[in-house]
């Protein structure tokens, strides 16, 4: 029996997060923010390292504020970039992020910010990886609307309570808190829940944090999706089409069924429509308790579906 060669230690991963920060341009289309970092002598997209105990989504919003002075609302996940820095492996996640209120003030991290059309921003960027991320951003149709489809957090065992009234356990309440952070990073303004205690309680931390009430909507209950999937799909599209980002908390059968239906190719029985961007297989969508799907739509067409298995990461 031969012994495999020793390839040395696995490089430590340094995680970071950032975004293509954009705002509508006065002449139509969008313009994106690129920043100059004097200590690196480069022009880049805003990004920074993930702090201990911080999720990637929270990092992206925080780093945007620190480097540009602008608040931001995350949209679709655009890309993950991996490269080596010395002996460390760096992993950077990028979202598209709509700029909110704010203004730029030169600081120790960035001394200049330019708002440019993507075509003008690309040649200014120092790194090929940033240009690739910007190209991925511009490849998507505009504008996109976001809806988050949330699986309820961990609840008491079946039989311990009436099924509709099963409350969250301690681990579920912690999951719900983490989901509140994720929903805040994506700028959620409207909350909907299946009328189960565990679903409503999953959204309560977000409700308190965002100052938004929770509307009960049983169109997304498991039995309702099974009985009338078309009605559930149309209701979800109706919510996604309204102003303001929505989040819907549902259950373990309804969520995968809805994601599969939204991604399906109407001209084929073979599976999802070509061109839908996702980090998971859309023919068999996962739905772990306390997870979320970030769904991005152009009109009524699903463009991207990003599965967030654990909002703490």
């Amino acid at each position: 029996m031969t012994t495999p060669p020793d390839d040395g230690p696995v490089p430590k991963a340094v995680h970071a997060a950032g975004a293509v920060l954009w705002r509508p341009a006065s002449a139509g289309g969008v313009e994106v923010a690129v920043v100059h970092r004097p200590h690196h002598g480069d022009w880049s997209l805003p990004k920074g390292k993930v702090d201990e105990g911080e999720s990637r989504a929270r990092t992206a919003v925080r780093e945007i504020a620190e480097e540009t002075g602008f608040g931001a609302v995350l949209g679709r996940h655009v890309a993950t970039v991996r490269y080596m820095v010395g002996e460390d492996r760096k992993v950077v996640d990028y979202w598209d992020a709509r700029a909110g209120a704010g203004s730029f003030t030169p600081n120790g991290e960035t001394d200049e910010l330019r708002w440019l059309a993507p075509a003008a921003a690309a040649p200014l960027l120092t790194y090929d990886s940033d240009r690739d991320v910007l190209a991925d951003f511009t490849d998507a149709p505009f504008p996109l609307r976001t809806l988050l489809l949330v699986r309820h957090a961990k609840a008491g065992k079946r039989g311990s309570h009436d099924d509709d009234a099963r409350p969250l356990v301690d681990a579920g309440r912690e999951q719900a808190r983490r989901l509140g952070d994720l929903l805040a990073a994506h700028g959620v303004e409207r909350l909907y829940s299946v009328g189960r205690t565990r679903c409503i309680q999953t959204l309560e931390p977000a409700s308190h944090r965002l100052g938004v009430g929770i509307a009960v909507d049983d169109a997304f209950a498991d039995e309702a999706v099974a009985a009338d999937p078309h009605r559930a799909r149309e209701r979800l599209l109706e919510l996604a089409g309204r102003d303001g980002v929505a989040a819907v908390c549902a259950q373990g059968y309804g969520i995968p069924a809805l994601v599969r239906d939204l991604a399906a190719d109407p001209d084929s029985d073979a599976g999802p429509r070509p061109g839908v961007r996702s980090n998971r297989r859309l023919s068999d969508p996962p739905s772990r308790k306390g997870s979320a799907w970030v769904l991005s739509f152009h009109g009524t067409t699903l463009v991207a579906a990003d599965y967030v298995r654990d909002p703490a990461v």
Side-chain angles (χ1 to χ4, degrees):
M1 179 175 170
T2 60
T3 302
D6 182 4
D7 292 327
V10 176
K12 182 179 73 173
V14 177
H15 290 273
V20 180
L21 183 67
W22 63 270
R23 66 184 185 186
S26 57
V30 300
E31 52 189 13
V32 300
V34 294
V35 294
H36 183 259
R37 303 185 300 174
H39 53 295
H40 290 289
D42 61 16
W43 285 93
S44 70
L45 301 173
K47 65 178 182 296
K49 291 181 182 178
V50 175
D51 287 342
E52 185 176 354
E54 186 178 49
S55 70
R56 296 169 300 146
R58 287 187 65 183
T59 297
V61 174
R62 174 181 58 77
E63 286 289 339
I64 289 167
E66 291 177 1
E67 293 198 353
T68 73
F70 287 87
V73 170
L74 302 186
R76 72 178 179 98
H77 184 269
V78 176
T80 301
V81 175
R82 297 174 175 86
Y83 54 94
M84 299 300 295
V85 179
E87 296 183 353
D88 293 336
R89 179 169 57 94
K90 193 160 187 180
V91 181
V92 189
D93 285 281
Y94 290 92
W95 282 260
D96 90 33
R98 186 181 74 244
S103 61
F104 176 71
T105 301
N107 56 75
E109 292 190 58
T110 54
D111 60 358
E112 188 175 351
L113 178 149
R114 295 183 188 177
W115 288 101
L116 299 168
L124 181 63
L125 291 167
T126 302
Y127 306 109
D128 289 341
S129 59
D130 278 2
R131 285 189 285 273
D132 290 342
V133 172
L134 183 59
D136 285 345
F137 167 79
T138 56
D139 280 347
F142 181 84
L144 296 178
R145 291 186 181 273
T146 302
L147 181 142
L148 283 82
L149 193 51
V150 176
R151 171 80 187 275
H152 68 76
K154 293 179 180 178
K157 293 182 179 179
R158 293 181 183 274
S160 59
H161 297 80
D162 173 75
D163 187 62
D164 288 359
R166 281 193 289 142
L168 299 186
V169 297
D170 287 347
R173 285 189 284 272
E174 176 60 21
Q175 287 179 317
R177 184 193 65 77
R178 294 172 180 175
L179 282 163
D181 288 342
L182 179 70
L183 270 55
H186 284 275
V188 168
E189 299 176 27
R190 296 178 287 123
L191 298 172
Y192 302 87
S193 174
V194 171
R196 307 300 199 263
T197 297
R198 58 191 180 278
C199 295
I200 294 169
Q201 288 184 343
T202 297
L203 292 184
E204 283 178 347
S207 175
H208 297 318
R209 177 170 180 172
L210 302 171
V212 176
I214 303 170
V216 172
D217 194 328
D218 282 327
F220 309 111
D222 278 356
E223 63 274 14
V225 176
D228 195 345
H230 177 76
R231 177 174 178 268
R233 177 181 181 275
E234 291 305 304
R235 176 61 175 156
L236 199 72
L237 290 173
E238 178 190 347
L239 296 182
R242 294 181 183 177
D243 290 339
V245 178
V248 174
C249 187
Q251 300 163 268
Y253 169 81
I255 290 173
L258 282 163
V259 173
R260 275 195 304 272
D261 192 15
L262 290 163
D265 186 348
D267 299 321
S268 171
D269 295 329
R273 177 172 38 80
V276 182
R277 301 275 300 265
S278 183
N279 61 346
R280 291 293 187 274
R281 189 173 60 181
L282 293 175
S283 59
D284 186 21
S287 185
R288 179 178 182 260
K289 290 176 182 176
S291 65
W293 281 92
V294 182
L295 305 176
S296 301
F297 298 90
H298 182 59
T300 58
T301 300
L302 182 68
V303 171
D306 182 44
Y307 180 62
V308 182
R309 182 179 183 274
D310 182 355
V313 176

